[in-house]
Amino acid sequence: MNKISSLILLLLIGFTPKLNAQKKSIDQRVDSVLKLMTLKEKVGQLNQYSGKEVTGPTSDRKNYLLNDIKSGMVGSMLNVKGVKDTREIQAIALQSRLKIPLLFSLDVIHGYKTVFPIPLAESASWDMAAIRETAHVAAEEAAASGIHWTFAPMVDIARDPRWGRVMEGAGEDTYLGSAIARARVLGFQGDKLGGVDAIMACAKHFAAYGAAIAGRDYNPVDMSEQQLNEIYLPPFKAAADAKVATFMNSFNTLNGIPATANSYLQRDILKGQWGYKGFVVSDWGSMREMVPWGFAKNGNEAAEKAILAGSDMDMESEVYKKELENLVKSGKVDIKFVDDAVRRILYKKFELGLFDNPYKFSDEKREAKVMNDPKHKEIARSAAKKSIVLLKNEGNILPLQKSFKNIALIGPLVKAKRDQAGSWVVNADTANITSVYEGLQAKFGNSTQFTYTQGTAVTDTSRAGLSAAIANAKNADAVIMVLGETWDMSGESKSRTDISLPGRQEELFNAVKATGKPVIVVIMAGRPLIFNSIADKADAIVYAWFLGDEGGNAITDVLSGDYNPSGKLPITFPRNVGQIPIYYNHYNTGRPVTKPKDITYKSAYIDSPNDPKYAFGYGLSYTNFTYSDLKLDKAALQKGQAVKVSFTLTNSGKVAGEEVAQLYMQDKFASVVRPVKELKDFAKVKLNPGEAKTITFELTPEKLAFFKEKAGWITEPGDFKVMVGGSSDAIKLETTFELK
């Protein structure tokens, strides 16, 4: 054993059981390894490669990747999965001089082997425990497959449904988005890093990527400090407070500066004001993209700007590998910036326990056991049911009436499997996903006859299938139509200028509806869609998003009444694309519309109402809920005090159900114009018929504050309106209080 190997071995002996001592021990061990490293080896830790070529056929790139791994010039690999491959590549990394283990990372966005609802769909559940549980299962499966790190959660606030990546986040609201960010981080990471059922999470994309101009991926972002701090940064702060292991910077510029080289975001706010101790990874190739942005002349300048701004790891640009060593030697980059980045990365490797056992996440027996755990399917079905939003139910046609003995199933997605998985599927067998057709057949067996006609494909321009669909509908007691997008019409690089229901699907609906038969529409999509004919004419509408493995069963559970839908929209649905961006917490105007028909010289459209088709927080149930008896524990409070808001929620219907009770607030007069309402709290409450509960929320000083440029976060004396209801446009109770 050589001298270096002996030193490394000594560094890796033992941990003290006390948390503070353990932290100190990791810091000491990191510093000791750092002292042994050459500048070239330090740069290697900042380099991340995709492993698709490494695990695939032989190529020139494969050879040099393997050589770089063996020589210690790689800190992390992405797109390598499975115990066999991760173990083999880790073994190559351990042939390097210092034997520093690799981090294996992957886009585990909404499941690994078990596919859960897309994140936007899960957000419609407003159920933090359920969201945390699915993230935990995804982490457990990924960790059993040798993965240490996921590039999730995406916590970007998104107010533009044209943006394809809206499916990856939690919607438009900062408060809800912050709660979901925390839940998903805790789900992925568990109580602490190092367990074999947990992986490192990554809060992305830092920052404001959801506000890309025109809803187009990789586009610029321009916004005020107020908007940045009030709307877009809080979910990232919530993730940081939940001790998220890593951040990923974004593809966009922010007010002219690429996020990858934005020291204000990364050094001033993240690592400065927030005291963040994890590390920052770039998005794919974003360091070299500073050249086409016109922000850096070449890779050398891009590397310099990125490291000085606080980007710690370079994903697939290779500018650190090629340029950083010379930048340090020439004096353009102080070695302290490199050391800081390396220290952050090494700390996480120690925290995961990889120095003690580089193969701790590569256990074939655990992999086989975890991948076949039947509980994961049960969790997927539960999450899928909770994610469904009932948008319409005329005449209580749902649950399906017993008189419907012959039901026509019509539409391009009736038998869909792969589409239900949505974007970002990494290790699933999508052929095993349950379709709506299969779910209904399994539920109703021989008691109901189902006849299927496709009618049209999702993007079909032909009318050839319409006549068969009409004939099917005429012979049925009722019709269930399953319409929407295909899985690859939303996600990264899937922005759309037209988010109406694609192809001839609304035409198909109109033809079927003209038969006079009751029509229930199920819509699958990764974003809000525009479907005005259906919204106006359908008897019932179930918004099913992309629900994953158990989508068909979950939809059937709702249609049959075995589950009472409880989902609420986490994002506004527009009437038409010309309203976008549209969101509930907009600012008022000096010329507001107070009467729908009085729009002359008012802030209004002449061809459409201002309000959306479906508002943020909206969602129906098979029962009814009554709000009453709103009380405040004080009508006036001193600065720094909190006010408790209580009310009674009653299930006034005939079946048990869950309601998401929502608390909104408006600062009526301030030195900065405030939104017409802002979500400040919510509670998901299950009630039996006739049951009532008192719900209590607290408006803390933090919730009364707002951001003012040059002043930061402040609270001001004045009048505040408190509003409670079942959605942002269905306020049932309101009152006011004064902050002295």
Side-chain angles (χ1 to χ4, degrees):
M1 184 179 290
N2 61 35
K3 185 178 180 181
I4 293 294
S5 297
S6 299
L7 286 170
I8 290 290
L9 183 61
L10 288 172
L11 292 170
L12 304 183
I13 297 174
F15 276 97
T16 174
K18 294 182 180 179
L19 184 61
N20 291 337
Q22 184 185 37
K23 183 178 186 299
K24 183 179 181 182
S25 175
I26 293 178
D27 285 331
Q28 289 175 334
R29 297 169 80 181
V30 168
D31 287 340
S32 299
V33 173
L34 200 61
K35 289 175 183 177
L36 298 174
M37 299 176 74
T38 65
L39 175 57
K40 184 179 290 292
E41 287 168 332
K42 291 177 181 178
V43 171
Q45 286 301 299
L46 312 187
N47 189 29
Q48 184 182 63
Y49 282 138
S50 174
K52 288 181 178 178
E53 294 88 349
V54 174
T55 57
T58 300
S59 65
D60 291 340
R61 177 171 166 86
K62 176 174 181 175
N63 291 332
Y64 91 70
L65 287 179
L66 291 174
N67 287 334
D68 278 359
I69 295 169
K70 190 180 294 186
S71 61
M73 286 304 298
V74 182
S76 174
M77 299 291 292
L78 70 155
N79 297 326
V80 180
K81 60 181 184 289
V83 164
K84 179 178 179 295
D85 287 344
T86 55
R87 178 176 281 272
E88 287 180 1
I89 295 173
Q90 192 72 281
I92 296 171
L94 296 179
Q95 296 176 37
S96 63
R97 186 180 76 97
L98 294 181
K99 298 177 171 51
I100 299 175
L102 293 170
L103 287 172
F104 291 106
S105 54
L106 194 68
D107 286 290
V108 183
I109 305 301
H110 57 109
Y112 182 75
K113 182 177 185 293
T114 305
V115 183
F116 297 104
I118 60 170
L120 185 62
E122 278 198 335
S123 302
S125 75
W126 295 57
D127 190 322
M128 299 307 109
I131 291 170
R132 180 170 177 172
E133 184 176 41
T134 61
H136 171 72
V137 172
E140 187 180 13
E141 291 183 352
S145 180
I147 302 302
H148 309 132
W149 178 20
T150 176
F151 300 128
M154 189 192 92
V155 302
D156 295 307
I157 296 301
R159 294 168 158 183
D160 192 333
R162 294 173 300 178
W163 189 45
R165 300 194 79 163
V166 70
M167 57 77 58
E168 239 181 293
E172 73 184 46
D173 183 68
T174 301
Y175 187 87
L176 178 62
S178 297
I180 291 172
R182 173 180 170 79
R184 298 198 75 211
V185 168
L186 294 175
F188 284 128
Q189 296 188 172
D191 295 329
K192 66 175 183 177
L193 290 177
V196 293
D197 62 345
I199 55 179
M200 297 198 305
C202 182
K204 67 181 188 184
H205 306 85
F206 198 61
Y209 193 28
I213 292 173
R216 202 167 75 231
D217 260 327
Y218 323 120
N219 229 17
V221 170
D222 284 282
M223 66 171 53
S224 67
E225 285 289 307
Q226 181 195 5
Q227 285 287 294
L228 178 67
N229 281 274
E230 285 190 2
I231 305 300
Y232 293 92
L233 290 185
F236 288 99
K237 181 61 164 60
D241 290 344
K243 302 189 185 306
V244 68
T246 64
F247 267 60
M248 179 185 288
N249 53 42
S250 51
F251 282 122
N252 56 281
T253 56
L254 179 64
N255 301 332
I257 309 297
T260 315
N262 199 309
S263 59
Y264 172 64
L265 286 175
Q266 296 176 135
R267 293 229 181 262
D268 296 351
I269 295 176
L270 180 62
K271 296 177 178 179
Q273 295 175 26
W274 297 356
Y276 182 66
K277 302 302 182 184
F279 70 86
V280 179
V281 62
S282 77
D283 211 334
W284 185 291
S286 66
M287 288 191 185
R288 65 171 175 257
E289 290 176 11
M290 285 191 273
V291 177
W293 272 116
F295 190 74
K297 293 179 182 178
N298 48 41
N300 181 274
E301 195 170 287
E304 178 184 357
K305 290 186 172 185
I307 193 70
L308 294 179
S311 290
D312 299 311
M313 183 176 281
D314 175 4
M315 183 196 292
E316 274 290 322
S317 285
E318 298 189 37
V319 298
Y320 279 177
K321 175 193 171 184
K322 295 175 181 177
E323 308 291 348
L324 198 50
E325 186 177 0
N326 288 333
L327 285 167
V328 173
K329 289 179 178 178
S330 68
K332 289 186 175 180
V333 171
D334 193 312
I335 187 64
K336 71 179 183 181
F337 293 107
V338 176
D339 284 349
D340 177 65
V342 175
R343 183 176 286 108
R344 291 168 181 269
I345 293 164
L346 292 178
Y347 192 99
K348 292 305 172 188
K349 293 184 178 185
F350 273 111
E351 200 172 10
L352 287 169
L354 296 178
F355 276 96
D356 297 299
N357 179 4
Y359 305 113
K360 69 179 290 188
F361 292 88
S362 298
D363 183 317
E364 289 185 0
K365 290 183 179 179
R366 183 169 65 243
E367 182 180 37
K369 180 181 179 182
V370 171
M371 297 304 166
N372 294 289
D373 190 334
K375 294 195 300 291
H376 296 177
K377 285 282 190 182
E378 296 172 13
I379 293 168
R381 186 165 180 167
S382 176
K385 290 188 291 189
K386 293 176 179 179
S387 301
I388 293 170
V389 183
L390 180 63
L391 296 180
K392 188 176 183 181
N393 193 20
E394 291 292 319
N396 294 321
I397 191 172
L398 291 177
L400 289 170
Q401 298 173 15
K402 292 182 179 180
S403 60
F404 296 156
K405 298 299 183 182
N406 186 335
I407 298 178
L409 302 179
I410 299 173
L413 296 173
V414 170
K415 293 187 175 182
K417 290 178 176 284
R418 172 63 187 90
D419 290 308
Q420 288 199 79
S423 186
W424 295 113
V425 176
V426 293
N427 203 48
D429 181 2
T430 54
N432 286 329
I433 290 175
T434 305
S435 69
V436 174
Y437 182 87
E438 291 168 335
L440 287 167
Q441 292 280 12
K443 175 74 69 175
F444 290 94
N446 297 324
S447 64
T448 304
Q449 181 180 351
F450 296 100
T451 53
Y452 165 68
T453 310
Q454 183 183 35
T456 183
V458 169
T459 57
D460 201 351
T461 58
S462 171
R463 294 186 173 88
L466 266 63
S467 58
I470 293 168
N472 189 6
K474 286 180 177 179
N475 292 324
D477 299 320
V479 181
I480 297 174
M481 301 188 73
V482 189
L483 312 172
E485 295 183 309
T486 56
W487 72 269
D488 56 353
M489 295 180 76
S490 59
E492 183 174 356
S493 194
K494 297 295 188 292
S495 298
R496 292 174 56 190
T497 61
D498 181 1
I499 59 169
S500 59
L501 203 61
R504 296 196 178 279
Q505 292 182 86
E506 284 212 71
E507 185 177 344
L508 174 66
F509 164 79
N510 285 325
V512 169
K513 182 61 180 171
T515 65
K517 297 301 173 74
V519 180
I520 298 151
V521 177
V522 176
I523 298 179
M524 297 181 186
R527 53 154 60 87
L529 294 177
I530 295 169
F531 44 92
N532 289 320
S533 292
I534 292 170
D536 294 341
K537 300 176 185 177
D539 295 277
I541 304 171
V542 173
Y543 213 81
W545 315 97
F546 293 135
L547 295 175
D549 281 356
E550 291 294 305
N553 286 327
I555 292 166
T556 300
D557 287 339
V558 167
L559 294 178
S560 67
D562 284 355
Y563 180 79
N564 187 351
S566 60
K568 301 276 189 173
L569 295 179
I571 187 167
T572 300
F573 278 44
R575 295 176 181 273
N576 55 63
V577 76
Q579 292 179 297
I580 298 170
I582 183 170
Y583 42 91
Y584 84 93
N585 53 344
H586 59 85
Y587 298 102
N588 217 332
T589 168
R591 295 190 179 189
V593 175
T594 55
K595 298 178 182 179
K597 294 183 179 180
D598 181 13
I599 62 171
T600 304
Y601 299 115
K602 299 293 177 67
S603 182
Y605 302 105
I606 62 172
D607 60 347
S608 171
N610 286 1
D611 62 311
K613 198 69 178 179
Y614 300 106
F616 172 83
Y618 175 81
L620 302 177
S621 170
Y622 294 153
T623 191
N624 299 308
F625 296 96
T626 303
Y627 291 75
S628 62
D629 200 23
L630 178 63
K631 296 177 181 177
L632 304 180
D633 70 336
K634 53 179 74 75
L637 57 153
Q638 300 298 320
K639 194 170 183 179
Q641 291 182 330
V643 58
K644 289 185 178 180
V645 181
S646 64
F647 58 94
T648 300
L649 181 67
T650 304
N651 182 344
S652 52
K654 298 179 180 180
V655 295
E658 291 179 285
E659 170 72 333
V660 179
Q662 301 159 42
L663 172 69
Y664 295 90
M665 187 198 76
Q666 183 189 23
D667 188 343
K668 296 181 70 174
F669 305 99
S671 59
V672 175
V673 172
R674 305 305 302 141
V676 295
K677 58 174 71 76
E678 300 173 88
L679 182 70
K680 293 299 180 180
D681 215 333
F682 61 90
K684 191 163 189 175
V685 184
K686 187 171 184 178
L687 296 172
N688 291 317
E691 185 180 5
K693 285 186 179 178
T694 298
I695 312 299
T696 301
F697 295 126
E698 188 174 49
L699 286 171
T700 62
E702 180 185 37
K703 293 178 182 178
L704 304 182
F706 62 88
F707 188 89
K708 186 175 182 179
E709 292 190 21
K710 299 182 181 180
W713 286 94
I714 63 171
T715 55
E716 292 179 341
D719 296 327
F720 292 80
K721 181 191 289 187
V722 176
M723 297 161 274
V724 174
S727 72
S728 63
D729 68 340
I731 300 302
K732 302 299 184 181
L733 306 169
E734 63 178 62
T735 188
T736 60
F737 68 88
E738 182 184 7
L739 177 62
K740 295 289 188 180

